[in-house]
Amino acid sequence: TFEASFYKEVMELYPYNASNSTQAPELLYSTMASDLRVGCADDRLARTLTQNFKSPVHRYVLIQGPSPGAQDFSNVAKHAHRRHHNKSGKRDRREEGFVGNPQYAYHSWDAYSLFNLTFSRTQYPNFRLDQADYGLVSTMQTWFKTFAHNLTMPTNWASYPDGLVLMAWNFAPVKSYHAGQCKFFMDNGLAPYSWID
């Protein structure tokens, strides 16, 4: 348990503005959970790598989800998984999809985008990707191919900790991402709550 002031400070780090449609409570909660469970720990990991290796570390944060919403993507992915990978007849947790119909988070979306793993429109007629989705595929493939062939990233993608990229169809280089939130979580001993700790 935490003191009451802790919760107040967390809410101040992820403020809700009812007049701003881009700040739905679910999005704020998903962002907070993503920071706590993954993003802040990834920052720590990237910092550790830069301190112990000579090779540059390039970090990105995916900020673009599937245009139809994460729930729709989850349902398509779970059915595709069941059709193609689970021949044993055993129940697989990945077939359950999300509980609660989340709209903003899906952990494998960058992998699906990087490898252009799309789904048949015949088999899944209600799942339609838009131009932004295909733009993300193109952006990720361009930069990862560049790195694989040249061992460099674009000049405006600084190596960590000097910068990182907010990955979307139009990626944006930034100095840091949610540094204040991560400092708060780490200062309050929440590192063990991250998935990679």
Side-chain angles (χ1 to χ4, degrees):
T1 60
F2 300 97
E3 296 192 21
S5 61
F6 174 85
Y7 301 105
K8 182 177 183 296
E9 289 182 72
V10 169
M11 293 300 104
E12 289 171 355
L13 290 170
Y14 299 91
Y16 173 61
N17 180 351
S19 65
N20 186 343
S21 62
T22 65
Q23 289 188 329
E26 183 184 336
L27 175 59
L28 294 175
Y29 178 79
S30 296
T31 302
M32 179 188 68
S34 175
D35 286 347
L36 175 60
R37 304 286 286 188
V38 181
C40 299
D42 285 349
D43 279 346
R44 266 189 15 193
L45 177 61
R47 194 171 301 109
T48 299
L49 291 172
T50 62
Q51 291 167 351
N52 292 285
F53 295 95
K54 293 181 180 178
S55 300
V57 173
H58 294 280
R59 172 153 159 59
Y60 72 90
V61 175
L62 183 67
I63 61 168
Q64 176 184 325
S67 60
Q71 177 62 37
D72 292 337
F73 181 70
S74 171
N75 288 334
V76 170
K78 100 182 157 185
H79 285 69
H81 171 79
R82 183 171 30 219
R83 288 175 65 101
H84 302 294
H85 299 291
N86 192 3
K87 309 287 186 192
S88 67
K90 294 179 182 176
R91 187 164 175 259
D92 189 319
R93 282 189 62 223
R94 287 171 291 187
E95 294 180 7
E96 296 170 7
F98 287 123
V99 176
N101 298 320
Q103 291 300 306
Y104 302 105
Y106 190 79
H107 299 293
S108 300
W109 185 237
D110 52 347
Y112 277 87
S113 299
L114 178 60
F115 296 105
N116 197 18
L117 301 175
T118 56
F119 299 99
S120 164
R121 289 188 179 183
T122 305
Q123 293 174 344
Y124 309 105
N126 295 326
F127 186 76
R128 292 272 193 255
L129 299 177
D130 68 12
Q131 287 306 111
D133 296 313
Y134 292 114
L136 177 63
V137 169
S138 176
T139 297
M140 291 195 75
Q141 289 185 347
T142 296
W143 298 131
F144 281 82
K145 283 178 186 174
T146 298
F147 182 76
H149 290 289
N150 306 322
L151 298 179
T152 61
M153 293 307 259
T155 55
N156 56 345
W157 186 338
S159 60
Y160 197 85
D162 295 329
L164 56 96
V165 162
L166 301 182
M167 184 65 73
W169 67 270
N170 57 344
F171 85 91
V174 294
K175 176 69 178 166
S176 65
Y177 180 76
H178 290 189
Q181 289 89 334
C182 289
K183 182 178 187 314
F184 175 80
F185 289 140
M186 297 305 111
D187 287 351
N188 282 279
L190 296 179
Y193 288 87
S194 63
W195 284 330
I196 65 167
D197 194 271

